[in-house]
Amino acid sequence: MTRTLDPLAPGHRGWWESGDLLVCHADGVAVPNALTARLTPTRVTEHFRVYALGTRTLVAHRYRGDELDDDLAGHLAAELPGLAPHFERIFTGVVRTTVHDPLLAWTLFYANTLAALRHPSRAGAIASMAPVHSRALNLVRGRSVLDLGSCFGFLPLRLAAQGLRPIASDLSPGTMELLSRVASWLGSPLPVLTCDAAAVPLASRSVDTVLAIHLLEHVPPAHAAAVVREMLRVARRRVVVAVRSDPVDAGQLLAWGRASREPFTVFEHHGGWLVVDRD
């Protein structure tokens, strides 16, 4: 999420607004429904109806509580590509209008997603991420783990469930506050850091394993190189990097690692994964 979006900000039952965007649950609020009854939607998909309300955009949906999980990301990307600039706000709006209480809504979203990651039963964003998480979990060495670019923090929560000591980190203070509060609600308190992955406020060699899973493809190459250098600085035993595809590949990551001047031994280097052990 962006630095300014607050996923726990006060809202209204059944509808959520942010600037020129309004999200509503089609079964949960009367006023937007009265408006949309007089309008022709500009887009109708399996999960959404989109309307133009003057200069504002209204997105209506009918998600149930048991459907509230991270597959929502795939639905939005596939069904509403024209609204990509509003992705995070629509995502937040859907979660917040499915269940009225903010913390309860997000806790349900987390619980459903974590259950699906453990036992994926359908194709979608969660099913594609589950094997990536499983591999990352198996590659951890030691007990203390720093996860860079955690976003919602599903991976750190799974690490904690295995008895490890993870730290989640991300640029977005709102997302880190959300993760911290939900983790406590779920009974797994989790340390969080709001920081740039290239400037981590931890001492050198202070964490056993440092992870960057599907992070570096989202930042410019020069910044990605700085992140790899920082990972090698902070890690005591192992660094694990996974990228989806170009423009960052494992060969590039290996070159950045060598440029860091930090001593390491390559453990694995193929298929978008780079695993190195500290000498």
Coordinates of all heavy atoms in Angstrom, one line a residue, residues 31-108:
V31 N -28.0 4.2 0.0 CA -27.9 5.4 -0.8 C -27.2 5.1 -2.1 O -27.7 5.5 -3.2 CB -27.2 6.5 0.0 CG1 -27.0 7.7 -0.9 CG2 -28.1 6.9 1.2
P32 N -26.0 4.6 -2.1 CA -25.3 4.3 -3.4 C -26.2 3.4 -4.3 O -26.2 3.6 -5.6 CB -24.0 3.6 -3.1 CG -23.7 4.2 -1.7 CD -25.1 4.2 -1.0
N33 N -26.9 2.4 -3.8 CA -27.7 1.6 -4.6 C -28.9 2.3 -5.2 O -29.3 2.1 -6.4 CB -28.3 0.4 -3.7 CG -27.2 -0.6 -3.3 OD1 -26.2 -0.6 -3.9 ND2 -27.5 -1.4 -2.3
A34 N -29.4 3.3 -4.5 CA -30.5 4.2 -5.1 C -29.9 4.9 -6.3 O -30.6 5.2 -7.3 CB -31.0 5.1 -4.0
L35 N -28.7 5.4 -6.2 CA -28.0 6.1 -7.3 C -27.8 5.2 -8.5 O -28.1 5.5 -9.6 CB -26.7 6.7 -6.8 CG -26.8 7.9 -5.8 CD1 -25.4 8.2 -5.3 CD2 -27.5 9.1 -6.4
T36 N -27.2 4.0 -8.2 CA -26.8 3.1 -9.3 C -28.0 2.5 -10.0 O -28.0 2.1 -11.1 CB -25.9 2.0 -8.8 OG1 -26.6 1.2 -7.7 CG2 -24.6 2.5 -8.2
A37 N -29.2 2.5 -9.3 CA -30.4 2.0 -9.9 C -30.8 2.8 -11.1 O -31.5 2.4 -12.0 CB -31.5 1.9 -8.9
R38 N -30.3 4.1 -11.1 CA -30.7 5.0 -12.2 C -29.6 5.1 -13.3 O -29.7 5.9 -14.2 CB -31.0 6.4 -11.7 CG -32.1 6.4 -10.6 CD -32.1 7.8 -9.9 NE -33.0 7.8 -8.8 CZ -33.1 8.8 -7.9 NH1 -32.4 9.9 -8.1 NH2 -33.9 8.7 -6.9
L39 N -28.5 4.4 -13.1 CA -27.4 4.5 -13.9 C -27.1 3.2 -14.7 O -27.4 2.1 -14.2 CB -26.1 4.9 -13.1 CG -26.2 6.3 -12.4 CD1 -24.9 6.4 -11.5 CD2 -26.2 7.4 -13.4
T40 N -26.4 3.4 -15.8 CA -25.9 2.2 -16.6 C -24.5 2.0 -16.2 O -23.7 3.0 -16.3 CB -26.1 2.4 -18.1 OG1 -27.4 2.6 -18.4 CG2 -25.5 1.2 -18.8
P41 N -24.1 0.9 -15.7 CA -22.7 0.7 -15.4 C -21.7 0.8 -16.6 O -22.1 0.4 -17.7 CB -22.6 -0.8 -14.8 CG -23.8 -1.4 -15.3 CD -24.9 -0.4 -15.5
T42 N -20.6 1.3 -16.4 CA -19.6 1.5 -17.5 C -18.8 0.2 -17.6 O -18.2 0.0 -18.7 CB -18.6 2.6 -17.2 OG1 -17.9 2.3 -15.9 CG2 -19.3 3.9 -17.1
R43 N -18.9 -0.7 -16.6 CA -18.2 -2.0 -16.7 C -18.9 -3.0 -15.8 O -19.1 -2.6 -14.6 CB -16.7 -1.9 -16.4 CG -15.9 -3.2 -16.7 CD -14.4 -2.9 -16.6 NE -13.7 -4.2 -16.9 CZ -13.4 -4.6 -18.1 NH1 -13.8 -3.9 -19.1 NH2 -12.7 -5.7 -18.2
V44 N -19.1 -4.2 -16.3 CA -19.7 -5.2 -15.5 C -18.8 -6.5 -15.6 O -18.5 -6.9 -16.7 CB -21.1 -5.6 -15.9 CG1 -21.7 -6.7 -15.1 CG2 -22.0 -4.4 -15.8
T45 N -18.3 -7.0 -14.5 CA -17.5 -8.2 -14.5 C -18.1 -9.2 -13.5 O -19.1 -9.0 -12.9 CB -16.1 -7.8 -14.1 OG1 -16.0 -7.6 -12.7 CG2 -15.5 -6.7 -14.9
E46 N -17.4 -10.3 -13.4 CA -17.8 -11.3 -12.5 C -18.0 -10.8 -11.0 O -19.0 -11.2 -10.3 CB -16.9 -12.5 -12.5 CG -17.3 -13.7 -11.5 CD -16.3 -14.8 -11.5 OE1 -15.3 -14.8 -12.3 OE2 -16.5 -15.8 -10.7
H47 N -17.1 -10.0 -10.6 CA -17.1 -9.5 -9.2 C -17.5 -8.0 -9.0 O -17.7 -7.6 -7.9 CB -15.7 -9.7 -8.6 CG -15.3 -11.2 -8.5 ND1 -14.6 -11.8 -9.4 CD2 -15.6 -12.1 -7.5 CE1 -14.4 -13.1 -9.1 NE2 -15.0 -13.3 -7.9
F48 N -17.5 -7.3 -10.1 CA -17.6 -5.8 -9.9 C -18.6 -5.2 -10.9 O -18.8 -5.7 -12.0 CB -16.3 -5.1 -10.0 CG -15.2 -5.7 -9.2 CD1 -14.2 -6.5 -9.8 CD2 -15.1 -5.4 -7.8 CE1 -13.2 -7.1 -9.0 CE2 -14.1 -6.0 -7.0 CZ -13.2 -6.8 -7.6
R49 N -19.2 -4.1 -10.5 CA -19.9 -3.2 -11.4 C -19.3 -1.8 -11.1 O -19.2 -1.3 -10.0 CB -21.4 -3.1 -11.1 CG -22.1 -4.4 -11.6 CD -23.6 -4.3 -11.2 NE -24.3 -5.5 -11.8 CZ -25.0 -5.4 -12.9 NH1 -25.2 -4.3 -13.6 NH2 -25.6 -6.5 -13.4
V50 N -19.0 -1.1 -12.2 CA -18.3 0.2 -12.1 C -19.3 1.3 -12.7 O -19.9 1.0 -13.8 CB -17.0 0.2 -12.9 CG1 -16.3 1.6 -12.8 CG2 -16.1 -0.8 -12.4
Y51 N -19.4 2.4 -12.0 CA -20.3 3.5 -12.5 C -19.6 4.8 -12.4 O -18.6 5.0 -11.6 CB -21.5 3.6 -11.5 CG -22.4 2.4 -11.4 CD1 -22.1 1.4 -10.5 CD2 -23.5 2.2 -12.2 CE1 -22.9 0.2 -10.4 CE2 -24.3 1.1 -12.0 CZ -24.0 0.1 -11.1 OH -24.8 -1.0 -11.0
A52 N -20.0 5.7 -13.3 CA -19.5 7.1 -13.3 C -20.5 7.9 -12.6 O -21.7 8.0 -13.0 CB -19.2 7.6 -14.7
L53 N -20.1 8.6 -11.5 CA -20.9 9.5 -10.8 C -20.3 10.9 -10.9 O -19.6 11.4 -10.1 CB -21.0 9.2 -9.3 CG -21.6 7.8 -9.0 CD1 -21.6 7.5 -7.5 CD2 -23.1 7.8 -9.4
G54 N -20.6 11.6 -12.1 CA -19.9 12.9 -12.3 C -18.4 12.7 -12.5 O -18.0 11.9 -13.3
T55 N -17.6 13.3 -11.6 CA -16.2 13.2 -11.7 C -15.7 12.0 -10.8 O -14.5 11.8 -10.7 CB -15.5 14.5 -11.2 OG1 -15.9 14.8 -9.9 CG2 -15.9 15.6 -12.1
R56 N -16.6 11.3 -10.1 CA -16.2 10.2 -9.2 C -16.5 8.9 -9.9 O -17.3 8.7 -10.8 CB -17.0 10.3 -7.9 CG -16.9 11.7 -7.2 CD -17.5 11.7 -5.9 NE -16.7 11.0 -4.9 CZ -17.1 10.8 -3.6 NH1 -18.3 11.2 -3.2 NH2 -16.3 10.2 -2.8
T57 N -15.8 7.9 -9.4 CA -16.0 6.5 -9.8 C -16.5 5.7 -8.7 O -16.0 5.7 -7.6 CB -14.7 5.9 -10.3 OG1 -14.2 6.7 -11.4 CG2 -14.8 4.4 -10.7
L58 N -17.6 4.9 -8.9 CA -18.2 4.0 -7.9 C -17.9 2.6 -8.3 O -18.3 2.2 -9.5 CB -19.6 4.3 -7.7 CG -20.4 3.6 -6.6 CD1 -21.5 4.4 -6.0 CD2 -20.9 2.2 -7.1
V59 N -17.4 1.8 -7.4 CA -17.2 0.4 -7.7 C -18.1 -0.4 -6.7 O -17.9 -0.2 -5.5 CB -15.7 0.0 -7.5 CG1 -15.6 -1.5 -7.7 CG2 -14.8 0.8 -8.4
A60 N -19.0 -1.2 -7.2 CA -19.9 -2.0 -6.4 C -19.5 -3.4 -6.5 O -19.0 -3.9 -7.5 CB -21.4 -1.8 -6.8
H61 N -19.7 -4.2 -5.4 CA -19.3 -5.6 -5.3 C -20.3 -6.3 -4.4 O -21.1 -5.7 -3.6 CB -17.9 -5.7 -4.8 CG -17.7 -5.4 -3.4 ND1 -17.8 -6.3 -2.4 CD2 -17.5 -4.2 -2.7 CE1 -17.6 -5.7 -1.2 NE2 -17.5 -4.5 -1.4
R62 N -20.2 -7.7 -4.4 CA -21.0 -8.5 -3.5 C -20.1 -9.6 -2.8 O -20.5 -10.7 -2.6 CB -22.1 -9.1 -4.2 CG -23.3 -8.2 -4.4 CD -24.6 -9.0 -4.8 NE -25.8 -8.2 -4.8 CZ -26.3 -7.5 -5.8 NH1 -25.6 -7.5 -7.0 NH2 -27.4 -6.8 -5.7
Y63 N -18.9 -9.2 -2.4 CA -18.1 -10.2 -1.7 C -18.7 -10.6 -0.4 O -19.3 -9.8 0.3 CB -16.7 -9.6 -1.5 CG -15.7 -9.7 -2.6 CD1 -15.7 -8.8 -3.6 CD2 -14.9 -10.8 -2.8 CE1 -14.9 -8.9 -4.7 CE2 -14.0 -10.9 -3.8 CZ -14.0 -9.9 -4.8 OH -13.2 -10.0 -5.9
R64 N -18.5 -11.9 0.0 CA -18.9 -12.4 1.3 C -17.7 -12.5 2.2 O -16.6 -12.5 1.7 CB -19.6 -13.8 1.2 CG -20.8 -13.9 0.2 CD -21.4 -15.2 0.4 NE -20.5 -16.3 0.3 CZ -20.2 -17.0 -0.8 NH1 -20.7 -16.6 -2.0 NH2 -19.3 -17.9 -0.8
G65 N -17.9 -12.6 3.5 CA -16.8 -12.7 4.4 C -15.9 -13.9 4.1 O -14.7 -13.8 4.2
D66 N -16.5 -15.0 3.7 CA -15.7 -16.2 3.4 C -14.9 -16.1 2.1 O -14.0 -16.9 1.9 CB -16.5 -17.5 3.5 CG -17.6 -17.5 2.4 OD1 -18.3 -16.4 2.2 OD2 -17.7 -18.5 1.7
E67 N -15.2 -15.1 1.3 CA -14.5 -14.9 0.0 C -13.4 -13.8 0.2 O -12.7 -13.6 -0.8 CB -15.5 -14.4 -1.0 CG -16.6 -15.4 -1.4 CD -17.6 -14.9 -2.3 OE1 -18.0 -13.7 -2.2 OE2 -18.0 -15.6 -3.2
L68 N -13.3 -13.3 1.3 CA -12.4 -12.2 1.5 C -11.0 -12.7 1.8 O -10.6 -13.1 2.9 CB -12.9 -11.3 2.7 CG -12.5 -9.9 2.8 CD1 -12.9 -9.1 1.5 CD2 -13.1 -9.2 4.0
D69 N -10.1 -12.7 0.7 CA -8.7 -13.1 0.9 C -7.9 -12.5 -0.2 O -8.4 -11.6 -1.0 CB -8.6 -14.6 0.8 CG -9.1 -15.3 -0.4 OD1 -9.0 -14.7 -1.5 OD2 -9.7 -16.4 -0.4
D70 N -6.6 -12.8 -0.3 CA -5.8 -12.1 -1.3 C -6.0 -12.4 -2.7 O -5.4 -11.8 -3.6 CB -4.3 -12.4 -0.9 CG -3.4 -11.3 -1.4 OD1 -3.7 -10.1 -1.2 OD2 -2.3 -11.6 -1.9
D71 N -6.9 -13.4 -3.0 CA -7.3 -13.6 -4.4 C -8.0 -12.3 -5.0 O -8.1 -12.2 -6.2 CB -8.2 -14.8 -4.6 CG -7.3 -16.1 -4.7 OD1 -6.1 -16.0 -5.0 OD2 -7.9 -17.2 -4.6
L72 N -8.5 -11.5 -4.1 CA -9.0 -10.2 -4.5 C -8.1 -9.4 -5.4 O -8.5 -8.8 -6.4 CB -9.4 -9.4 -3.3 CG -9.8 -7.9 -3.5 CD1 -11.0 -7.8 -4.4 CD2 -10.0 -7.2 -2.2
A73 N -6.8 -9.5 -5.2 CA -5.8 -8.8 -6.0 C -5.8 -9.3 -7.4 O -5.8 -8.5 -8.4 CB -4.4 -9.1 -5.4
G74 N -6.0 -10.6 -7.6 CA -6.1 -11.2 -9.0 C -7.4 -10.8 -9.7 O -7.4 -10.5 -10.9
H75 N -8.4 -10.7 -8.9 CA -9.7 -10.3 -9.5 C -9.6 -8.9 -10.0 O -10.1 -8.6 -11.1 CB -10.8 -10.4 -8.4 CG -11.0 -11.8 -7.9 ND1 -11.8 -12.1 -6.8 CD2 -10.6 -13.0 -8.4 CE1 -11.8 -13.4 -6.6 NE2 -11.1 -14.0 -7.5
L76 N -9.1 -8.0 -9.2 CA -9.0 -6.6 -9.6 C -8.1 -6.4 -10.8 O -8.4 -5.7 -11.7 CB -8.4 -5.8 -8.4 CG -9.4 -5.5 -7.3 CD1 -8.7 -4.8 -6.1 CD2 -10.5 -4.6 -7.8
A77 N -6.9 -7.1 -10.8 CA -6.0 -7.0 -11.9 C -6.6 -7.5 -13.2 O -6.4 -6.9 -14.3 CB -4.7 -7.7 -11.6
A78 N -7.3 -8.6 -13.1 CA -7.9 -9.2 -14.4 C -9.2 -8.5 -14.8 O -9.4 -8.4 -16.1 CB -8.2 -10.7 -14.1
E79 N -10.0 -8.1 -13.9 CA -11.3 -7.6 -14.3 C -11.4 -6.0 -14.4 O -12.2 -5.5 -15.1 CB -12.4 -8.0 -13.3 CG -12.5 -9.6 -13.2 CD -13.5 -10.0 -12.1 OE1 -14.4 -9.3 -11.8 OE2 -13.2 -11.1 -11.5
L80 N -10.5 -5.3 -13.7 CA -10.6 -3.9 -13.8 C -9.2 -3.3 -14.1 O -8.7 -2.4 -13.4 CB -11.0 -3.3 -12.4 CG -12.4 -3.7 -11.9 CD1 -12.7 -3.1 -10.6 CD2 -13.5 -3.4 -13.0
P81 N -8.6 -3.7 -15.3 CA -7.3 -3.2 -15.6 C -7.3 -1.6 -15.8 O -6.3 -1.0 -15.6 CB -6.9 -3.9 -16.9 CG -8.2 -4.3 -17.5 CD -9.1 -4.6 -16.3
G82 N -8.4 -1.1 -16.3 CA -8.4 0.3 -16.5 C -8.4 1.2 -15.3 O -8.2 2.4 -15.3
L83 N -8.7 0.5 -14.1 CA -8.6 1.2 -12.8 C -7.4 0.9 -12.0 O -7.3 1.1 -10.8 CB -9.9 0.8 -12.0 CG -11.2 1.3 -12.6 CD1 -12.4 0.8 -11.7 CD2 -11.2 2.8 -12.7
A84 N -6.3 0.4 -12.7 CA -5.1 0.1 -12.1 C -4.5 1.2 -11.2 O -4.0 0.9 -10.1 CB -4.0 -0.3 -13.1
P85 N -4.6 2.5 -11.5 CA -4.1 3.5 -10.6 C -4.8 3.6 -9.3 O -4.3 4.1 -8.3 CB -4.3 4.8 -11.4 CG -4.3 4.4 -12.9 CD -5.0 3.0 -12.8
H86 N -6.0 3.0 -9.2 CA -6.8 3.0 -8.0 C -6.8 1.7 -7.3 O -7.6 1.4 -6.4 CB -8.3 3.4 -8.3 CG -8.5 4.6 -9.1 ND1 -8.1 5.9 -8.6 CD2 -8.9 4.8 -10.4 CE1 -8.4 6.8 -9.6 NE2 -8.9 6.2 -10.6
F87 N -5.9 0.8 -7.7 CA -5.9 -0.6 -7.2 C -5.9 -0.7 -5.7 O -6.8 -1.4 -5.1 CB -4.7 -1.3 -7.8 CG -4.5 -2.8 -7.3 CD1 -5.0 -3.8 -8.0 CD2 -3.9 -3.0 -6.1 CE1 -4.9 -5.1 -7.6 CE2 -3.7 -4.3 -5.7 CZ -4.2 -5.4 -6.4
E88 N -5.0 0.0 -5.1 CA -4.9 -0.2 -3.6 C -6.1 0.4 -2.9 O -6.6 -0.2 -1.9 CB -3.7 0.5 -3.1 CG -2.4 -0.2 -3.6 CD -1.1 0.6 -3.1 OE1 -1.3 1.8 -2.8 OE2 -0.1 0.0 -3.1
R89 N -6.7 1.5 -3.4 CA -7.9 2.0 -2.8 C -9.1 1.2 -3.0 O -9.9 1.0 -2.1 CB -8.1 3.5 -3.3 CG -7.0 4.4 -2.9 CD -7.4 5.9 -3.2 NE -7.6 6.1 -4.7 CZ -8.3 7.1 -5.2 NH1 -9.0 7.9 -4.5 NH2 -8.3 7.2 -6.5
I90 N -9.3 0.6 -4.2 CA -10.4 -0.3 -4.4 C -10.2 -1.6 -3.5 O -11.2 -2.0 -2.9 CB -10.5 -0.7 -5.9 CG1 -10.7 0.5 -6.8 CG2 -11.6 -1.7 -6.1 CD1 -10.7 0.2 -8.2
F91 N -9.0 -2.1 -3.5 CA -8.7 -3.3 -2.6 C -9.2 -3.0 -1.2 O -9.9 -3.8 -0.6 CB -7.2 -3.6 -2.7 CG -6.8 -4.9 -2.2 CD1 -6.4 -5.9 -3.0 CD2 -6.9 -5.2 -0.8 CE1 -6.0 -7.1 -2.5 CE2 -6.5 -6.4 -0.3 CZ -6.0 -7.4 -1.2
T92 N -8.7 -1.9 -0.7 CA -9.0 -1.5 0.7 C -10.5 -1.3 0.9 O -11.1 -1.8 1.9 CB -8.3 -0.2 1.1 OG1 -6.9 -0.4 1.0 CG2 -8.7 0.2 2.5
G93 N -11.2 -0.7 -0.1 CA -12.6 -0.4 0.0 C -13.4 -1.7 0.0 O -14.4 -1.8 0.7
V94 N -13.0 -2.7 -0.8 CA -13.7 -4.0 -0.8 C -13.6 -4.7 0.5 O -14.7 -5.1 1.1 CB -13.2 -4.9 -1.9 CG1 -13.8 -6.3 -1.8 CG2 -13.5 -4.3 -3.3
V95 N -12.4 -4.7 1.1 CA -12.3 -5.3 2.4 C -13.1 -4.6 3.5 O -13.8 -5.2 4.3 CB -10.8 -5.3 2.8 CG1 -10.6 -5.9 4.3 CG2 -10.0 -6.2 1.9
R96 N -13.0 -3.3 3.5 CA -13.7 -2.5 4.5 C -15.2 -2.5 4.4 O -15.9 -2.3 5.4 CB -13.2 -1.1 4.4 CG -11.7 -0.9 4.9 CD -11.5 -1.2 6.3 NE -12.5 -0.4 7.1 CZ -12.3 0.8 7.5 NH1 -11.1 1.4 7.2 NH2 -13.2 1.5 8.2
T97 N -15.7 -2.7 3.2 CA -17.2 -2.7 3.0 C -17.8 -4.1 3.1 O -19.0 -4.2 3.2 CB -17.6 -2.1 1.7 OG1 -16.9 -2.7 0.6 CG2 -17.2 -0.6 1.6
T98 N -17.0 -5.1 3.2 CA -17.5 -6.5 3.3 C -17.8 -6.8 4.8 O -18.8 -7.4 5.1 CB -16.5 -7.5 2.8 OG1 -16.2 -7.3 1.4 CG2 -17.0 -8.9 3.0
V99 N -17.0 -6.3 5.7 CA -17.2 -6.4 7.1 C -17.0 -5.0 7.7 O -16.0 -4.3 7.4 CB -16.2 -7.3 7.8 CG1 -16.4 -7.4 9.3 CG2 -16.4 -8.7 7.2
H100 N -18.0 -4.5 8.5 CA -18.0 -3.1 8.9 C -16.8 -2.7 9.8 O -16.1 -1.7 9.6 CB -19.3 -2.7 9.5 CG -19.3 -1.3 10.1 ND1 -19.0 -0.2 9.3 CD2 -19.5 -0.8 11.3 CE1 -19.1 0.9 10.0 NE2 -19.4 0.6 11.2
D101 N -16.6 -3.5 10.9 CA -15.5 -3.2 11.8 C -14.1 -3.3 11.1 O -13.8 -4.4 10.6 CB -15.5 -4.2 13.0 CG -14.5 -3.9 14.0 OD1 -14.7 -3.0 14.9 OD2 -13.4 -4.5 13.9
P102 N -13.3 -2.3 11.1 CA -12.1 -2.3 10.3 C -11.1 -3.4 10.7 O -10.6 -4.2 9.8 CB -11.4 -0.9 10.6 CG -12.6 -0.1 11.1 CD -13.5 -1.0 11.8
L103 N -10.8 -3.6 12.0 CA -9.9 -4.6 12.4 C -10.4 -6.0 12.2 O -9.7 -6.9 11.8 CB -9.5 -4.4 13.9 CG -8.4 -5.3 14.4 CD1 -7.1 -5.1 13.6 CD2 -8.1 -5.0 15.9
L104 N -11.7 -6.2 12.4 CA -12.3 -7.5 12.2 C -12.3 -7.8 10.7 O -12.0 -9.0 10.3 CB -13.8 -7.5 12.7 CG -14.5 -8.8 12.5 CD1 -13.8 -10.0 13.2 CD2 -16.0 -8.7 13.1
A105 N -12.6 -6.8 9.8 CA -12.5 -7.1 8.4 C -11.1 -7.5 7.9 O -11.0 -8.5 7.2 CB -12.9 -5.8 7.6
W106 N -10.1 -6.8 8.4 CA -8.8 -7.2 7.9 C -8.3 -8.5 8.6 O -7.6 -9.3 8.0 CB -7.8 -6.1 8.3 CG -7.9 -4.9 7.3 CD1 -8.4 -3.7 7.6 CD2 -7.5 -4.9 6.0 NE1 -8.3 -2.9 6.5 CE2 -7.8 -3.6 5.5 CE3 -6.9 -5.8 5.1 CZ2 -7.5 -3.2 4.2 CZ3 -6.7 -5.5 3.8 CH2 -7.0 -4.2 3.3
T107 N -8.7 -8.8 9.8 CA -8.4 -10.0 10.5 C -9.0 -11.2 9.7 O -8.3 -12.3 9.5 CB -8.8 -10.1 11.9 OG1 -8.2 -9.0 12.6 CG2 -8.5 -11.4 12.6
L108 N -10.2 -11.1 9.2 CA -10.9 -12.1 8.4 C -10.1 -12.3 7.1 O -9.9 -13.4 6.7 CB -12.3 -11.7 8.2 CG -13.2 -12.8 7.4 CD1 -13.2 -14.1 8.2 CD2 -14.6 -12.2 7.2

